[in-house]
Amino acid sequence: MAVSGFEGFEKRLELHFFGDDPAVTEMGLRQLDFESLEQVLHAVQCTVVSAVGNSYFDAYVLSESSLFVYPTKIIIKTCGTTQLLKSIRPLLHYARHLGLTLCSCRYTRGSFIFPKAQPFPHTTFKEEVICLEESLPTNLCRRKASVMPSKTPSHSWHVFTASDDAHLPGVLYTLEVCMTELDRVLARKFFQRPGDEKTGDTAGKEMTQLTGIGDINPGALICDFAFDPCGYSMNGIIDGDRYSTIHVTPEDGYSYASFECVGSIYDDHDDVVQILKKAVQVFRPATMSVSTTCTSHEVWTRVAGALEPLGLKCRSCAMDEFPAAGSVVFQTFTTRRK
């Protein structure tokens, strides 16, 4: 294990807002100018490298992961030693100016590979929770923090949710997949060849094609980027308001890849099985976790069935209920050879 390498495990923040004026909520947060977004990201210590949007939302690939901006919802996911929670106050400030009020917040992350390298308040989950509690307005009165354990010491799941009394969980589910100990041959595909004079966009497109990432959601509008000398990020826009995102830290000794997607509880659940299978086969990790946030149990029960034919065995499963987020189910898997 390297003393300290690049931290692949992301921190993820999801904020939901509401407004009384339909004229405001129609475009909502998407009215924020690029300069304002850049200021928020500057506080977090990352920048935009690429962007794509449709009539529902805007998706930004960041120097450290991703940002998704909807009219009344924002999702920021950042890796490395970024200070994600520093985005909350400026975002609330800009939202207030647009006539929007925060109604729910969800913060999630796995266990860092290099916890000692993290800056305050990401040094411990306890400090993160204190920071969240202090940054959020008092109308978010239903709060809960929990660390969901597993039998795999390197994987536990940290969840904090807060919501007002009126906010109800929606019909969307979120699947957050964290993969470690990637297949070395497959991980090499995320390195650029020395002397290649390709731009991040060009090299990213090649990696999307070569690795099979482009086949996970064949109809997706993809925004991809390759980092120099290695590493890769991708946001995909799928039918309307759905997204998927992949981030890869391929270095040996601390290799990591994440895959995240959203779906509706009314979708055909065979779709999520196929998507999950394809994503995992791109990396063939020795250890992985899947966190499913959903109001229905239909989705998480399919996860093990999708992964076991790939030689991954479910080692642990933890479940917890969160106000206004529904239930979170955290499952860990290792290859049978482990």
Side-chain angles (χ1 to χ4, degrees):
M1 173 71 78
V3 178
S4 189
F6 187 79
E7 180 59 68
F9 274 91
E10 298 97 349
K11 315 159 181 99
R12 181 188 186 279
L13 180 70
E14 181 171 331
L15 301 172
H16 289 248
F17 298 84
F18 72 94
D20 298 326
D21 181 354
V24 169
T25 52
E26 191 176 352
M27 277 305 282
L29 297 163
R30 296 184 74 187
Q31 295 172 82
L32 283 179
D33 58 6
F34 190 62
E35 223 168 291
S36 303
L37 285 177
E38 277 191 310
Q39 279 195 304
V40 172
L41 296 171
H42 180 71
V44 175
Q45 295 182 332
C46 59
T47 54
V48 171
V49 297
S50 196
V52 68
N54 66 6
S55 56
Y56 295 90
F57 70 108
D58 302 304
Y60 299 87
V61 173
L62 306 178
S63 52
E64 273 91 356
S65 305
S66 291
L67 163 69
F68 301 97
V69 182
Y70 291 78
T72 59
K73 173 171 75 176
I74 199 157
I75 296 159
I76 312 188
K77 186 170 182 168
T78 63
C79 56
T81 54
T82 47
Q83 293 169 281
L84 177 60
L85 299 181
K86 288 195 173 169
S87 65
I88 297 176
R89 286 174 198 259
L91 279 172
L92 296 187
H93 167 78
Y94 290 130
R96 249 194 319 275
H97 279 272
L98 293 170
L100 294 169
T101 306
L102 186 68
C103 58
S104 87
C105 161
R106 177 159 66 94
Y107 174 70
T108 52
R109 69 166 174 86
S111 296
F112 298 125
I113 301 171
F114 306 109
K116 290 189 169 65
Q118 288 297 317
F120 183 85
H122 300 288
T123 35
T124 65
F125 185 54
K126 188 179 175 181
E127 293 294 353
E128 289 174 313
V129 170
I130 291 169
C131 177
L132 282 155
E133 297 268 13
E134 288 173 352
S135 307
L136 296 172
T138 50
N139 68 311
L140 268 58
C141 53
R142 300 167 67 201
R143 301 180 178 193
K144 180 170 175 175
S146 177
V147 179
M148 304 177 72
S150 80
K151 288 186 179 140
T152 313
S154 58
H155 285 261
S156 56
W157 196 243
H158 306 71
V159 186
F160 172 88
T161 66
S163 70
D164 63 15
D165 278 328
H167 184 80
L168 294 168
V171 297
L172 292 182
Y173 64 81
T174 308
L175 217 57
E176 293 169 75
V177 182
C178 301
M179 298 172 268
T180 54
E181 300 162 79
L182 312 181
D183 178 291
R184 285 179 182 188
V185 175
L186 298 176
R188 291 302 305 171
K189 295 180 181 178
F190 296 97
F191 281 80
Q192 293 198 49
R193 281 190 297 276
D196 263 6
E197 295 298 309
K198 292 187 180 113
T199 63
D201 294 312
T202 310
K205 290 212 173 358
E206 277 189 12
M207 286 180 189
T208 300
Q209 292 313 316
L210 283 171
T211 56
I213 286 173
D215 304 324
I216 297 172
N217 285 107
L221 171 62
I222 286 179
C223 180
D224 39 21
F225 195 86
F227 296 91
D228 186 29
C230 66
Y232 167 92
S233 283
M234 171 283 250
N235 291 332
I237 288 186
I238 311 148
D239 356 299
D241 61 350
R242 315 283 179 83
Y243 69 84
S244 68
T245 183
I246 289 175
H247 302 284
V248 189
T249 301
E251 291 100 320
D252 220 22
Y254 49 94
S255 65
Y256 171 86
S258 67
F259 170 72
E260 178 182 325
C261 66
V262 286
S264 160
I265 55 176
Y266 303 120
D267 291 349
D268 178 351
H269 296 308
D270 286 338
D271 290 352
V272 78
V273 167
Q274 293 313 316
I275 288 166
L276 191 56
K277 272 187 167 164
K278 285 181 193 172
V280 171
Q281 281 172 303
V282 168
F283 304 104
R284 298 197 184 273
T287 306
M288 64 176 286
S289 69
V290 182
S291 167
T292 312
T293 305
C294 191
T295 50
S296 129
H297 67 275
E298 293 292 313
V299 183
W300 75 265
T301 50
R302 300 290 183 95
V303 170
L307 299 180
E308 298 211 319
L310 307 179
L312 287 151
K313 187 164 171 52
C314 186
R315 300 293 177 185
S316 62
C317 180
M319 184 191 273
D320 206 345
E321 294 287 331
F322 291 85
S327 62
V328 176
V329 179
F330 177 61
Q331 295 166 280
T332 61
F333 297 84
T334 60
T335 46
R336 295 181 192 281
R337 64 176 184 270
K338 284 208 69 168

mmCIF file of all heavy atoms in Angstrom, residues 13-19 29 72-74 88-89 91-93 95-96 99-106 132 135-141 143 160 162-167:
data_model
loop_
_atom_site.group_PDB
_atom_site.id
_atom_site.type_symbol
_atom_site.label_atom_id
_atom_site.label_comp_id
_atom_site.label_asym_id
_atom_site.label_seq_id
_atom_site.Cartn_x
_atom_site.Cartn_y
_atom_site.Cartn_z
ATOM 1 N N LEU A 13 -22.562 15.063 -2.183
ATOM 2 C CA LEU A 13 -23.549 15.930 -1.526
ATOM 3 C C LEU A 13 -24.715 16.168 -2.477
ATOM 4 O O LEU A 13 -24.510 16.510 -3.644
ATOM 5 C CB LEU A 13 -22.884 17.268 -1.175
ATOM 6 C CG LEU A 13 -23.746 18.315 -0.469
ATOM 7 C CD1 LEU A 13 -24.059 17.896 0.962
ATOM 8 C CD2 LEU A 13 -23.036 19.670 -0.469
ATOM 9 N N GLU A 14 -25.931 15.963 -1.972
ATOM 10 C CA GLU A 14 -27.138 16.199 -2.782
ATOM 11 C C GLU A 14 -28.046 17.149 -2.008
ATOM 12 O O GLU A 14 -28.396 16.879 -0.862
ATOM 13 C CB GLU A 14 -27.850 14.874 -3.059
ATOM 14 C CG GLU A 14 -29.097 15.026 -3.903
ATOM 15 C CD GLU A 14 -29.685 13.684 -4.359
ATOM 16 O OE1 GLU A 14 -28.933 12.697 -4.525
ATOM 17 O OE2 GLU A 14 -30.910 13.640 -4.548
ATOM 18 N N LEU A 15 -28.398 18.268 -2.625
ATOM 19 C CA LEU A 15 -29.252 19.269 -1.986
ATOM 20 C C LEU A 15 -30.516 19.474 -2.819
ATOM 21 O O LEU A 15 -30.447 19.601 -4.044
ATOM 22 C CB LEU A 15 -28.515 20.612 -1.878
ATOM 23 C CG LEU A 15 -27.193 20.625 -1.098
ATOM 24 C CD1 LEU A 15 -26.499 21.974 -1.241
ATOM 25 C CD2 LEU A 15 -27.419 20.294 0.372
ATOM 26 N N HIS A 16 -31.676 19.484 -2.151
ATOM 27 C CA HIS A 16 -32.956 19.727 -2.820
ATOM 28 C C HIS A 16 -33.549 21.044 -2.319
ATOM 29 O O HIS A 16 -33.490 21.325 -1.119
ATOM 30 C CB HIS A 16 -33.951 18.603 -2.513
ATOM 31 C CG HIS A 16 -33.616 17.307 -3.173
ATOM 32 N ND1 HIS A 16 -34.377 16.766 -4.179
ATOM 33 C CD2 HIS A 16 -32.584 16.448 -2.977
ATOM 34 C CE1 HIS A 16 -33.822 15.623 -4.573
ATOM 35 N NE2 HIS A 16 -32.742 15.416 -3.865
ATOM 36 N N PHE A 17 -34.136 21.807 -3.244
ATOM 37 C CA PHE A 17 -34.704 23.113 -2.910
ATOM 38 C C PHE A 17 -36.155 23.187 -3.353
ATOM 39 O O PHE A 17 -36.616 22.375 -4.155
ATOM 40 C CB PHE A 17 -33.921 24.223 -3.628
ATOM 41 C CG PHE A 17 -32.469 24.303 -3.240
ATOM 42 C CD1 PHE A 17 -31.519 23.475 -3.854
ATOM 43 C CD2 PHE A 17 -32.040 25.192 -2.272
ATOM 44 C CE1 PHE A 17 -30.176 23.542 -3.502
ATOM 45 C CE2 PHE A 17 -30.693 25.269 -1.913
ATOM 46 C CZ PHE A 17 -29.765 24.446 -2.524
ATOM 47 N N PHE A 18 -36.884 24.180 -2.828
ATOM 48 C CA PHE A 18 -38.219 24.454 -3.352
ATOM 49 C C PHE A 18 -38.392 25.968 -3.429
ATOM 50 O O PHE A 18 -37.670 26.731 -2.774
ATOM 51 C CB PHE A 18 -39.308 23.815 -2.482
ATOM 52 C CG PHE A 18 -39.507 24.493 -1.151
ATOM 53 C CD1 PHE A 18 -40.480 25.482 -0.996
ATOM 54 C CD2 PHE A 18 -38.723 24.155 -0.046
ATOM 55 C CE1 PHE A 18 -40.658 26.111 0.226
ATOM 56 C CE2 PHE A 18 -38.898 24.789 1.176
ATOM 57 C CZ PHE A 18 -39.870 25.775 1.317
ATOM 58 N N GLY A 19 -39.339 26.399 -4.261
ATOM 59 C CA GLY A 19 -39.630 27.830 -4.379
ATOM 60 C C GLY A 19 -41.129 27.989 -4.553
ATOM 61 O O GLY A 19 -41.796 27.089 -5.053
ATOM 62 N N LEU A 29 -31.901 26.736 -10.222
ATOM 63 C CA LEU A 29 -30.446 26.766 -10.045
ATOM 64 C C LEU A 29 -29.688 26.810 -11.370
ATOM 65 O O LEU A 29 -28.528 27.202 -11.406
ATOM 66 C CB LEU A 29 -29.990 25.543 -9.246
ATOM 67 C CG LEU A 29 -30.533 25.437 -7.817
ATOM 68 C CD1 LEU A 29 -30.370 24.015 -7.301
ATOM 69 C CD2 LEU A 29 -29.836 26.425 -6.887
ATOM 70 N N THR A 72 -34.126 22.455 -9.246
ATOM 71 C CA THR A 72 -34.283 22.495 -7.781
ATOM 72 C C THR A 72 -33.455 21.426 -7.061
ATOM 73 O O THR A 72 -33.781 20.999 -5.955
ATOM 74 C CB THR A 72 -35.773 22.334 -7.374
ATOM 75 O OG1 THR A 72 -36.254 21.085 -7.890
ATOM 76 C CG2 THR A 72 -36.626 23.478 -7.907
ATOM 77 N N LYS A 73 -32.379 20.976 -7.711
ATOM 78 C CA LYS A 73 -31.537 19.938 -7.087
ATOM 79 C C LYS A 73 -30.115 20.110 -7.582
ATOM 80 O O LYS A 73 -29.894 20.424 -8.749
ATOM 81 C CB LYS A 73 -32.078 18.557 -7.489
ATOM 82 C CG LYS A 73 -31.213 17.377 -7.062
ATOM 83 C CD LYS A 73 -31.912 16.053 -7.310
ATOM 84 C CE LYS A 73 -31.941 15.632 -8.766
ATOM 85 N NZ LYS A 73 -32.537 14.312 -8.985
ATOM 86 N N ILE A 74 -29.170 19.907 -6.690
ATOM 87 C CA ILE A 74 -27.767 19.976 -7.096
ATOM 88 C C ILE A 74 -27.034 18.794 -6.470
ATOM 89 O O ILE A 74 -27.290 18.435 -5.317
ATOM 90 C CB ILE A 74 -27.150 21.341 -6.710
ATOM 91 C CG1 ILE A 74 -25.881 21.629 -7.505
ATOM 92 C CG2 ILE A 74 -26.907 21.468 -5.222
ATOM 93 C CD1 ILE A 74 -25.552 23.113 -7.600
ATOM 94 N N ILE A 88 -21.531 24.219 0.739
ATOM 95 C CA ILE A 88 -22.913 24.377 1.221
ATOM 96 C C ILE A 88 -23.288 25.844 1.406
ATOM 97 O O ILE A 88 -24.285 26.314 0.852
ATOM 98 C CB ILE A 88 -23.157 23.580 2.523
ATOM 99 C CG1 ILE A 88 -22.969 22.075 2.266
ATOM 100 C CG2 ILE A 88 -24.573 23.849 3.058
ATOM 101 C CD1 ILE A 88 -23.090 21.197 3.498
ATOM 102 N N ARG A 89 -22.474 26.590 2.156
ATOM 103 C CA ARG A 89 -22.844 27.992 2.444
ATOM 104 C C ARG A 89 -22.972 28.848 1.183
ATOM 105 O O ARG A 89 -23.980 29.538 1.005
ATOM 106 C CB ARG A 89 -21.871 28.605 3.453
ATOM 107 C CG ARG A 89 -22.124 28.077 4.871
ATOM 108 C CD ARG A 89 -21.074 28.566 5.850
ATOM 109 N NE ARG A 89 -21.055 27.750 7.051
ATOM 110 C CZ ARG A 89 -21.627 28.106 8.202
ATOM 111 N NH1 ARG A 89 -22.263 29.251 8.281
ATOM 112 N NH2 ARG A 89 -21.563 27.307 9.248
ATOM 113 N N LEU A 91 -23.625 27.875 -1.853
ATOM 114 C CA LEU A 91 -24.781 27.402 -2.625
ATOM 115 C C LEU A 91 -26.088 27.904 -2.023
ATOM 116 O O LEU A 91 -26.996 28.322 -2.752
ATOM 117 C CB LEU A 91 -24.807 25.862 -2.690
ATOM 118 C CG LEU A 91 -23.893 25.222 -3.732
ATOM 119 C CD1 LEU A 91 -23.865 23.716 -3.551
ATOM 120 C CD2 LEU A 91 -24.334 25.583 -5.155
ATOM 121 N N LEU A 92 -26.195 27.864 -0.696
ATOM 122 C CA LEU A 92 -27.415 28.342 -0.036
ATOM 123 C C LEU A 92 -27.589 29.846 -0.279
ATOM 124 O O LEU A 92 -28.703 30.333 -0.483
ATOM 125 C CB LEU A 92 -27.373 28.057 1.468
ATOM 126 C CG LEU A 92 -27.353 26.569 1.881
ATOM 127 C CD1 LEU A 92 -27.493 26.428 3.386
ATOM 128 C CD2 LEU A 92 -28.445 25.776 1.188
ATOM 129 N N HIS A 93 -26.486 30.561 -0.290
ATOM 130 C CA HIS A 93 -26.499 32.009 -0.530
ATOM 131 C C HIS A 93 -27.034 32.306 -1.942
ATOM 132 O O HIS A 93 -27.950 33.123 -2.114
ATOM 133 C CB HIS A 93 -25.069 32.554 -0.348
ATOM 134 C CG HIS A 93 -24.881 33.950 -0.853
ATOM 135 N ND1 HIS A 93 -25.302 35.053 -0.151
ATOM 136 C CD2 HIS A 93 -24.331 34.414 -2.013
ATOM 137 C CE1 HIS A 93 -25.010 36.145 -0.855
ATOM 138 N NE2 HIS A 93 -24.421 35.779 -1.979
ATOM 139 N N ALA A 95 -28.771 30.284 -3.882
ATOM 140 C CA ALA A 95 -30.139 29.774 -4.015
ATOM 141 C C ALA A 95 -31.141 30.774 -3.435
ATOM 142 O O ALA A 95 -32.199 31.019 -4.024
ATOM 143 C CB ALA A 95 -30.272 28.418 -3.311
ATOM 144 N N ARG A 96 -30.794 31.352 -2.273
ATOM 145 C CA ARG A 96 -31.667 32.353 -1.635
ATOM 146 C C ARG A 96 -31.921 33.525 -2.575
ATOM 147 O O ARG A 96 -33.054 34.007 -2.711
ATOM 148 C CB ARG A 96 -31.014 32.866 -0.350
ATOM 149 C CG ARG A 96 -31.757 32.418 0.905
ATOM 150 C CD ARG A 96 -31.339 33.186 2.154
ATOM 151 N NE ARG A 96 -29.906 33.427 2.265
ATOM 152 C CZ ARG A 96 -29.038 32.557 2.780
ATOM 153 N NH1 ARG A 96 -29.449 31.367 3.209
ATOM 154 N NH2 ARG A 96 -27.753 32.863 2.875
ATOM 155 N N GLY A 99 -34.563 32.898 -4.951
ATOM 156 C CA GLY A 99 -35.892 32.646 -4.380
ATOM 157 C C GLY A 99 -36.127 31.184 -4.051
ATOM 158 O O GLY A 99 -37.271 30.716 -4.011
ATOM 159 N N LEU A 100 -35.046 30.433 -3.794
ATOM 160 C CA LEU A 100 -35.165 29.007 -3.475
ATOM 161 C C LEU A 100 -34.766 28.749 -2.021
ATOM 162 O O LEU A 100 -33.863 29.380 -1.499
ATOM 163 C CB LEU A 100 -34.256 28.187 -4.397
ATOM 164 C CG LEU A 100 -34.618 28.193 -5.883
ATOM 165 C CD1 LEU A 100 -33.494 27.576 -6.706
ATOM 166 C CD2 LEU A 100 -35.916 27.440 -6.137
ATOM 167 N N THR A 101 -35.452 27.770 -1.403
ATOM 168 C CA THR A 101 -35.193 27.394 -0.007
ATOM 169 C C THR A 101 -34.789 25.927 0.052
ATOM 170 O O THR A 101 -35.413 25.088 -0.607
ATOM 171 C CB THR A 101 -36.479 27.599 0.847
ATOM 172 O OG1 THR A 101 -36.926 28.934 0.667
ATOM 173 C CG2 THR A 101 -36.218 27.343 2.318
ATOM 174 N N LEU A 102 -33.769 25.621 0.838
ATOM 175 C CA LEU A 102 -33.316 24.236 0.986
ATOM 176 C C LEU A 102 -34.360 23.413 1.733
ATOM 177 O O LEU A 102 -34.874 23.845 2.755
ATOM 178 C CB LEU A 102 -31.988 24.215 1.761
ATOM 179 C CG LEU A 102 -31.291 22.860 1.876
ATOM 180 C CD1 LEU A 102 -30.769 22.392 0.521
ATOM 181 C CD2 LEU A 102 -30.127 22.925 2.874
ATOM 182 N N CYS A 103 -34.691 22.226 1.219
ATOM 183 C CA CYS A 103 -35.642 21.363 1.940
ATOM 184 C C CYS A 103 -35.059 19.996 2.289
ATOM 185 O O CYS A 103 -35.590 19.311 3.154
ATOM 186 C CB CYS A 103 -36.950 21.218 1.177
ATOM 187 S SG CYS A 103 -36.782 20.562 -0.483
ATOM 188 N N SER A 104 -33.957 19.580 1.648
ATOM 189 C CA SER A 104 -33.322 18.337 2.099
ATOM 190 C C SER A 104 -31.868 18.273 1.656
ATOM 191 O O SER A 104 -31.464 18.929 0.685
ATOM 192 C CB SER A 104 -34.085 17.094 1.617
ATOM 193 O OG SER A 104 -33.654 16.697 0.352
ATOM 194 N N CYS A 105 -31.109 17.472 2.406
ATOM 195 C CA CYS A 105 -29.671 17.338 2.160
ATOM 196 C C CYS A 105 -29.290 15.887 2.413
ATOM 197 O O CYS A 105 -29.780 15.258 3.355
ATOM 198 C CB CYS A 105 -28.929 18.256 3.141
ATOM 199 S SG CYS A 105 -27.181 17.842 3.382
ATOM 200 N N ARG A 106 -28.444 15.344 1.554
ATOM 201 C CA ARG A 106 -27.912 13.992 1.801
ATOM 202 C C ARG A 106 -26.418 13.999 1.492
ATOM 203 O O ARG A 106 -26.008 14.421 0.412
ATOM 204 C CB ARG A 106 -28.628 12.964 0.920
ATOM 205 C CG ARG A 106 -28.077 11.542 1.074
ATOM 206 C CD ARG A 106 -29.073 10.495 0.629
ATOM 207 N NE ARG A 106 -29.370 10.527 -0.783
ATOM 208 C CZ ARG A 106 -28.754 9.796 -1.705
ATOM 209 N NH1 ARG A 106 -27.790 8.969 -1.372
ATOM 210 N NH2 ARG A 106 -29.101 9.871 -2.969
ATOM 211 N N LEU A 132 -21.768 19.766 8.864
ATOM 212 C CA LEU A 132 -23.074 19.736 8.193
ATOM 213 C C LEU A 132 -24.141 20.370 9.079
ATOM 214 O O LEU A 132 -24.909 21.225 8.635
ATOM 215 C CB LEU A 132 -23.466 18.287 7.854
ATOM 216 C CG LEU A 132 -22.786 17.687 6.619
ATOM 217 C CD1 LEU A 132 -22.735 16.170 6.715
ATOM 218 C CD2 LEU A 132 -23.520 18.106 5.347
ATOM 219 N N SER A 135 -23.834 24.060 9.088
ATOM 220 C CA SER A 135 -24.019 24.748 7.799
ATOM 221 C C SER A 135 -25.475 24.779 7.346
ATOM 222 O O SER A 135 -25.840 25.590 6.495
ATOM 223 C CB SER A 135 -23.194 24.064 6.702
ATOM 224 O OG SER A 135 -21.850 23.946 7.087
ATOM 225 N N LEU A 136 -26.300 23.887 7.892
ATOM 226 C CA LEU A 136 -27.672 23.744 7.386
ATOM 227 C C LEU A 136 -28.651 24.614 8.160
ATOM 228 O O LEU A 136 -28.512 24.794 9.366
ATOM 229 C CB LEU A 136 -28.110 22.271 7.460
ATOM 230 C CG LEU A 136 -27.311 21.309 6.584
ATOM 231 C CD1 LEU A 136 -27.697 19.869 6.888
ATOM 232 C CD2 LEU A 136 -27.508 21.605 5.091
ATOM 233 N N PRO A 137 -29.673 25.128 7.479
ATOM 234 C CA PRO A 137 -30.671 25.968 8.161
ATOM 235 C C PRO A 137 -31.533 25.152 9.130
ATOM 236 O O PRO A 137 -31.663 23.935 8.990
ATOM 237 C CB PRO A 137 -31.513 26.526 7.012
ATOM 238 C CG PRO A 137 -31.312 25.591 5.872
ATOM 239 C CD PRO A 137 -29.944 25.006 6.032
ATOM 240 N N THR A 138 -32.142 25.842 10.101
ATOM 241 C CA THR A 138 -32.895 25.149 11.169
ATOM 242 C C THR A 138 -34.165 24.480 10.655
ATOM 243 O O THR A 138 -34.681 23.581 11.311
ATOM 244 C CB THR A 138 -33.267 26.139 12.287
ATOM 245 O OG1 THR A 138 -33.875 27.282 11.666
ATOM 246 C CG2 THR A 138 -32.055 26.566 13.079
ATOM 247 N N ASN A 139 -34.692 24.917 9.472
ATOM 248 C CA ASN A 139 -35.921 24.258 8.976
ATOM 249 C C ASN A 139 -35.679 22.785 8.618
ATOM 250 O O ASN A 139 -36.615 22.000 8.536
ATOM 251 C CB ASN A 139 -36.510 25.014 7.770
ATOM 252 C CG ASN A 139 -35.637 24.941 6.522
ATOM 253 O OD1 ASN A 139 -34.431 25.184 6.590
ATOM 254 N ND2 ASN A 139 -36.220 24.596 5.389
ATOM 255 N N LEU A 140 -34.402 22.396 8.445
ATOM 256 C CA LEU A 140 -34.092 20.980 8.207
ATOM 257 C C LEU A 140 -33.977 20.291 9.573
ATOM 258 O O LEU A 140 -32.894 20.069 10.098
ATOM 259 C CB LEU A 140 -32.790 20.832 7.404
ATOM 260 C CG LEU A 140 -32.970 20.774 5.877
ATOM 261 C CD1 LEU A 140 -33.657 22.001 5.353
ATOM 262 C CD2 LEU A 140 -31.642 20.591 5.179
ATOM 263 N N CYS A 141 -35.129 19.983 10.153
ATOM 264 C CA CYS A 141 -35.160 19.544 11.560
ATOM 265 C C CYS A 141 -35.071 18.020 11.724
ATOM 266 O O CYS A 141 -34.776 17.528 12.797
ATOM 267 C CB CYS A 141 -36.415 20.081 12.234
ATOM 268 S SG CYS A 141 -37.915 19.676 11.315
ATOM 269 N N ARG A 143 -33.003 15.015 11.206
ATOM 270 C CA ARG A 143 -31.604 14.732 10.849
ATOM 271 C C ARG A 143 -31.166 13.366 11.362
ATOM 272 O O ARG A 143 -31.595 12.933 12.423
ATOM 273 C CB ARG A 143 -30.693 15.819 11.440
ATOM 274 C CG ARG A 143 -31.056 17.209 10.935
ATOM 275 C CD ARG A 143 -30.167 18.297 11.507
ATOM 276 N NE ARG A 143 -30.541 19.607 10.947
ATOM 277 C CZ ARG A 143 -29.813 20.702 11.055
ATOM 278 N NH1 ARG A 143 -28.651 20.667 11.703
ATOM 279 N NH2 ARG A 143 -30.216 21.841 10.524
ATOM 280 N N PHE A 160 -25.354 10.912 6.015
ATOM 281 C CA PHE A 160 -26.007 11.953 6.816
ATOM 282 C C PHE A 160 -27.161 12.495 5.986
ATOM 283 O O PHE A 160 -26.975 12.842 4.814
ATOM 284 C CB PHE A 160 -25.034 13.093 7.145
ATOM 285 C CG PHE A 160 -25.714 14.275 7.801
ATOM 286 C CD1 PHE A 160 -25.868 14.324 9.182
ATOM 287 C CD2 PHE A 160 -26.213 15.331 7.037
ATOM 288 C CE1 PHE A 160 -26.512 15.405 9.787
ATOM 289 C CE2 PHE A 160 -26.867 16.408 7.645
ATOM 290 C CZ PHE A 160 -27.013 16.441 9.013
ATOM 291 N N ALA A 162 -30.726 15.198 6.162
ATOM 292 C CA ALA A 162 -31.482 16.220 6.891
ATOM 293 C C ALA A 162 -32.599 16.693 5.985
ATOM 294 O O ALA A 162 -32.406 16.839 4.777
ATOM 295 C CB ALA A 162 -30.577 17.392 7.265
ATOM 296 N N SER A 163 -33.782 16.901 6.565
ATOM 297 C CA SER A 163 -34.885 17.384 5.739
ATOM 298 C C SER A 163 -35.875 18.169 6.588
ATOM 299 O O SER A 163 -35.890 18.035 7.813
ATOM 300 C CB SER A 163 -35.597 16.212 5.064
ATOM 301 O OG SER A 163 -36.298 15.475 6.031
ATOM 302 N N ASP A 164 -36.708 18.953 5.893
ATOM 303 C CA ASP A 164 -37.777 19.642 6.620
ATOM 304 C C ASP A 164 -38.950 18.668 6.766
ATOM 305 O O ASP A 164 -38.914 17.545 6.260
ATOM 306 C CB ASP A 164 -38.174 20.943 5.912
ATOM 307 C CG ASP A 164 -38.738 20.718 4.518
ATOM 308 O OD1 ASP A 164 -39.106 19.565 4.178
ATOM 309 O OD2 ASP A 164 -38.816 21.695 3.736
ATOM 310 N N ASP A 165 -40.007 19.106 7.454
ATOM 311 C CA ASP A 165 -41.139 18.213 7.717
ATOM 312 C C ASP A 165 -41.939 17.889 6.466
ATOM 313 O O ASP A 165 -42.585 16.855 6.388
ATOM 314 C CB ASP A 165 -42.072 18.837 8.762
ATOM 315 C CG ASP A 165 -41.541 18.585 10.172
ATOM 316 O OD1 ASP A 165 -40.910 17.533 10.367
ATOM 317 O OD2 ASP A 165 -41.753 19.442 11.047
ATOM 318 N N ALA A 166 -41.892 18.788 5.484
ATOM 319 C CA ALA A 166 -42.771 18.635 4.317
ATOM 320 C C ALA A 166 -42.159 17.780 3.219
ATOM 321 O O ALA A 166 -42.853 17.260 2.363
ATOM 322 C CB ALA A 166 -43.118 20.009 3.770
ATOM 323 N N HIS A 167 -40.813 17.638 3.230
ATOM 324 C CA HIS A 167 -40.152 16.973 2.104
ATOM 325 C C HIS A 167 -40.356 15.460 2.157
ATOM 326 O O HIS A 167 -40.081 14.818 3.159
ATOM 327 C CB HIS A 167 -38.653 17.280 2.109
ATOM 328 C CG HIS A 167 -37.926 16.704 0.934
ATOM 329 N ND1 HIS A 167 -37.942 17.297 -0.301
ATOM 330 C CD2 HIS A 167 -37.192 15.570 0.799
ATOM 331 C CE1 HIS A 167 -37.240 16.553 -1.152
ATOM 332 N NE2 HIS A 167 -36.776 15.507 -0.504
#
